[in-house]
Amino acid sequence: MEKKRKKILVTSALLYINGLPHLGHLVGCWLPGDIFARFHRTYGNDVKYISGTDDHGTASYISAKNLNMDINDYIKMMNTKMKQIAEKLSISFDIFSGTNTKTHKEVTCDVFNDLNKNGYISEKESKMCYCENDKIALADRFVYGTCPYCGYDKAYGDQCDNCGKTYDLEELKDPKCAFCHQNAVFKNTKHLYIRLDKLQNELKKWIDTKKDVFRPHVYNMAYKWINEGLQPRCITRDIPWGIKVPLEGYEDKVFYVWFDAPIGYISITKELGGEEMVKDRWQNKDCEIYNFIGKDNIDFHAVFFPCIELGSKKYQLAENVVGFNFLNFEGQKFSKSNKVGIFCESLLNSDIDIDTLRAYLLSIFPENKDSDFSYEGFKLNTNAELVGKYGNFFNRTLNMINKNFAGELQIDFENIKNTLDENDKEMIDAIENCPNEIANLFSKTEFRAAYKEIMRFASIGNTYLEKTAPWSLIKNGDLENAKKVLYLCLNMAKALAIVASPIMPTKTKEIWEQLGFSGSPDAQDNWQEASKINISKTHKIGTPKPLFMRLDDEIIERYKNELRPQ
């Protein structure tokens, strides 16, 4: 990848405040966003990484009510827990905030006023399902009743799980509120709509430019909306909790959570750096914006939010909407009630190595199709890849230098450049070229391929050690050739620490110390050092220590018990 300092804004989906994340959420937005941001920082780019919580809507209101908590106290409690989880998982947000802030209210109202001024807001009367007891309007998923086709009495508002039929909410018989189970009623009410139909042509032009940028399923999902024809979409709700609509006659309504949540990216950016940062990241054509999201958020980021931005005529659209598919757990969907999956809160008090977990999760990122977490896969990746390939190369290299040369080789490239054989030249070629290939893959958000390339890079080093056998050279008294081999291995070890630092930030810092370097492998602009064979004559390594713990069945069983949903 050609070296050029860029401005980059990375966003990870704002998670609903009413539930703590599981590993599926982690691989869908937090972890890929973090790895991408860490890579670009190390490469030398000017990166800001933001996220937070989606605080409005019916679910958060009811969750707080069920706990007999003030909604603001509930949001603060849940947001704090999510920050603790992010810290445990080494997620490097520049800011983690939410949509329950004064700044967010102001930015959302400004965006609405721009849309209204620009002619993209209309009014329409519609019928809504309403709970008199909770005093809230009920979306389809918060209503149940009797199916109009088969008579099943636990059918959802728009679909019956018993017979599979779909229908309009008004066709549901005996509708009830899913929260309090009291009868729901239908009411006529006026609502505001964003005219997506008037923005379709502009949206299509943008999507057309992303055919070779978006992943196929993201592009196809966005184009499906275009092909079906965008329709006006409701942006207001009759519930007590949310951002009040700043329009006469609508003072008792709030913005629909789907509308205000993505605007949170802009308001959180403003919270981080004021109006100047909004201009620098959202109103600057030289800034690239990357949205990292799960499958269920693709529509909102590839269709609805871009329409909001286009209609406001103020904000830059994303360079890439990086949408992932679903992660399952041992062949099943994540479910706290059914005790399926790993929910991230359980990791807070676990001694599981977070970097080995991050590495395994990256290796199964659901980039183009759904994927599956398994404890057996976690064990295999740790033992075969991290212990057997990556860690093994460092362990062999550093221990031989420490044991046989007191940690100092006392040579540099000038001393060996005239004695290189074919094996040495292959090693040099790998050091000079593999980091660039890995950078290309990270920059294209091809994370699984980048991980495979890192492990291939480590394998080249292990193969070189086998071919050259420096232990035999030492035994036979050929110390100069042994030093040459270990010098090249030491430079590769430096490179491997740098290129793996976005994935394993803690372990690579430990490696960096063992290698005897100051600072950190993920320091700004450090990526270019990975391709250089430039360790000095006077360099002395630190004390080698094992990097990764091999996982056996007993440890895996302990993790299963510790991390099982309660």
Side-chain angles (χ1 to χ4, degrees), residues 207-437:
I207 294 173
D208 284 340
T209 68
K210 301 300 177 184
K211 183 165 187 180
D212 297 323
V213 177
F214 287 175
R215 292 196 171 121
H217 67 281
V218 176
Y219 181 81
N220 292 338
M221 198 175 290
Y223 232 91
K224 182 173 181 286
W225 285 90
I226 296 295
N227 290 335
E228 291 177 356
L230 294 180
Q231 301 298 318
R233 187 176 176 90
C234 186
I235 64 168
T236 53
R237 297 280 277 151
D238 291 288
I239 61 173
W241 175 240
I243 297 173
K244 296 289 185 183
V245 178
L247 190 66
E248 188 177 349
Y250 285 85
E251 295 88 351
D252 61 338
K253 298 183 190 295
V254 300
F255 286 117
Y256 219 136
V257 67
W258 79 261
F259 176 78
D260 90 85
I263 297 170
Y265 297 131
I266 302 169
S267 67
I268 292 170
T269 304
K270 186 174 182 179
E271 203 178 329
L272 177 64
E275 195 61 46
E276 283 305 307
M277 188 166 287
V278 173
K279 289 178 182 176
D280 191 46
R281 303 290 156 155
W282 289 96
Q283 297 169 332
N284 179 0
K285 63 180 177 58
D286 293 326
C287 178
E288 295 180 359
I289 300 170
Y290 292 83
N291 303 142
F292 288 88
I293 53 168
K295 190 174 187 175
D296 51 355
N297 257 320
I298 291 172
D299 295 344
F300 296 97
H301 291 73
V303 177
F304 305 142
F305 183 45
C307 281
I308 292 171
E309 294 175 286
L310 288 167
S312 72
K313 301 187 186 299
K314 271 188 183 176
Y315 302 109
Q316 188 85 357
L317 274 62
E319 173 69 19
N320 196 357
V321 175
V322 190
F324 288 81
N325 287 281
F326 291 131
L327 178 73
N328 294 317
F329 185 87
E330 302 281 7
Q332 301 180 70
K333 290 183 179 180
F334 280 79
S335 169
K336 201 160 194 176
S337 59
N338 293 328
K339 300 189 184 307
V340 176
I342 294 176
F343 288 76
C344 296
E345 190 178 20
S346 67
L347 296 170
L348 292 175
N349 298 315
S350 173
D351 66 352
I352 192 170
D353 185 85
I354 294 299
D355 275 6
T356 61
L357 180 62
R358 284 172 59 109
Y360 172 58
L361 290 172
L362 181 148
S363 76
I364 58 167
F365 271 0
E367 291 176 348
N368 293 304
K369 62 180 181 179
D370 293 353
S371 64
D372 191 64
F373 178 101
S374 73
Y375 276 108
E376 187 60 32
F378 175 48
K379 183 177 79 169
L380 181 63
N381 184 73
T382 301
N383 295 344
E385 302 296 317
L386 300 182
V387 177
K389 286 182 188 173
Y390 188 81
N392 187 40
F393 177 73
F394 289 100
N395 188 51
R396 296 163 88 187
T397 299
L398 295 180
N399 277 313
M400 276 189 281
I401 294 172
N402 190 54
K403 179 181 176 182
N404 298 287
F405 301 101
E408 295 181 80
L409 293 174
Q410 298 180 340
I411 61 170
D412 60 18
F413 191 69
E414 284 297 312
N415 299 121
I416 65 171
K417 68 180 183 180
N418 296 322
T419 64
L420 302 174
D421 61 21
E422 286 306 309
N423 289 327
D424 303 328
K425 289 174 183 177
E426 286 178 13
M427 186 71 161
I428 291 167
D429 182 71
I431 295 168
E432 291 179 340
N433 292 296
C434 284
N436 292 328
E437 177 57 27

Side-chain angles (χ1 to χ4, degrees), residues 138-146 153-157 169 172-182 184:
L138 299 168
D140 294 347
R141 65 192 179 105
F142 298 133
V143 184
Y144 71 94
T146 301
D153 64 358
K154 294 291 188 295
Y156 289 115
L169 178 58
L172 186 71
K173 296 178 182 177
D174 192 24
K176 288 182 170 59
C177 171
F179 301 110
C180 68
H181 308 292
Q182 299 295 311

Side-chain angles (χ1 to χ4, degrees), residues 530-543:
S531 298
K532 296 176 182 176
I533 302 171
N534 61 354
I535 294 176
S536 70
K537 273 186 181 182
T538 57
H539 184 77
K540 184 173 183 178
I541 67 167
T543 305

Side-chain angles (χ1 to χ4, degrees), residues 53-198:
T53 50
D54 178 357
D55 300 333
H56 296 128
T58 305
S60 57
Y61 172 75
I62 295 296
S63 295
K65 187 176 178 182
N66 288 342
L67 291 172
N68 199 28
M69 288 183 73
D70 174 78
I71 183 68
N72 294 292
D73 293 338
Y74 173 75
I75 288 168
K76 185 176 180 182
M77 175 187 76
M78 295 296 284
N79 186 279
T80 299
K81 286 184 179 179
M82 290 207 196
K83 285 177 181 173
Q84 292 170 348
I85 290 168
E87 185 177 354
K88 175 73 175 183
L89 293 165
S90 301
I91 307 297
S92 60
F93 297 124
D94 288 292
I95 183 172
F96 185 86
S97 185
T99 57
N100 185 36
T101 66
K102 183 171 180 283
T103 301
H104 179 66
K105 178 182 176 182
E106 291 170 352
V107 173
T108 300
C109 290
D110 285 345
V111 169
F112 167 75
N113 287 332
D114 288 335
L115 288 166
N116 195 28
K117 179 185 70 179
N118 295 333
Y120 296 113
I121 300 295
S122 63
E123 179 183 274
K124 190 170 82 170
E125 189 172 273
S126 61
K127 190 171 280 190
M128 67 170 180
C129 197
Y130 191 83
C131 175
E132 299 279 10
N133 183 58
D134 288 324
K135 294 183 169 47
I136 53 173
L138 299 168
D140 294 347
R141 65 192 179 105
F142 298 133
V143 184
Y144 71 94
T146 301
C147 174
Y149 294 97
C150 73
Y152 179 58
D153 64 358
K154 294 291 188 295
Y156 289 115
D158 60 350
Q159 181 174 347
C160 177
D161 283 351
N162 186 57
C163 69
K165 294 277 191 181
T166 59
Y167 38 79
D168 290 332
L169 178 58
E170 292 175 49
E171 296 179 72
L172 186 71
K173 296 178 182 177
D174 192 24
K176 288 182 170 59
C177 171
F179 301 110
C180 68
H181 308 292
Q182 299 295 311
N183 288 335
V185 297
F186 287 100
K187 287 184 172 183
N188 287 324
T189 183
K190 285 193 302 183
H191 279 293
L192 296 174
Y193 288 71
I194 181 172
R195 295 295 304 273
L196 301 180
D197 52 322
K198 292 172 71 173

Side-chain angles (χ1 to χ4, degrees), residues 408-479:
E408 295 181 80
L409 293 174
Q410 298 180 340
I411 61 170
D412 60 18
F413 191 69
E414 284 297 312
N415 299 121
I416 65 171
K417 68 180 183 180
N418 296 322
T419 64
L420 302 174
D421 61 21
E422 286 306 309
N423 289 327
D424 303 328
K425 289 174 183 177
E426 286 178 13
M427 186 71 161
I428 291 167
D429 182 71
I431 295 168
E432 291 179 340
N433 292 296
C434 284
N436 292 328
E437 177 57 27
I438 293 162
N440 273 321
L441 294 168
F442 274 136
S443 69
K444 293 188 291 186
T445 70
E446 294 179 15
F447 298 105
R448 291 175 68 153
Y451 182 68
K452 286 180 181 176
E453 184 65 13
I454 290 168
M455 292 303 141
R456 189 183 76 85
F457 192 20
S459 293
I460 291 170
N462 283 313
T463 300
Y464 177 68
L465 280 172
E466 291 300 322
K467 286 181 177 180
T468 55
W471 51 87
S472 294
L473 295 173
I474 293 166
K475 185 178 179 181
N476 295 329
D478 190 354
L479 298 184

Side-chain angles (χ1 to χ4, degrees), residues 10-50:
V10 181
T11 74
S12 283
L14 307 187
L15 299 183
Y16 291 126
I17 195 69
N18 61 299
L20 296 175
H22 54 61
L23 293 187
H25 298 117
L26 185 61
V27 304
C29 57
W30 280 11
L31 187 52
D34 179 68
I35 291 169
F36 189 75
R38 286 179 180 276
F39 158 68
H40 275 289
R41 291 186 192 116
T42 305
Y43 198 79
N45 290 321
D46 179 4
V47 182
K48 297 299 177 189
Y49 180 28
I50 67 167

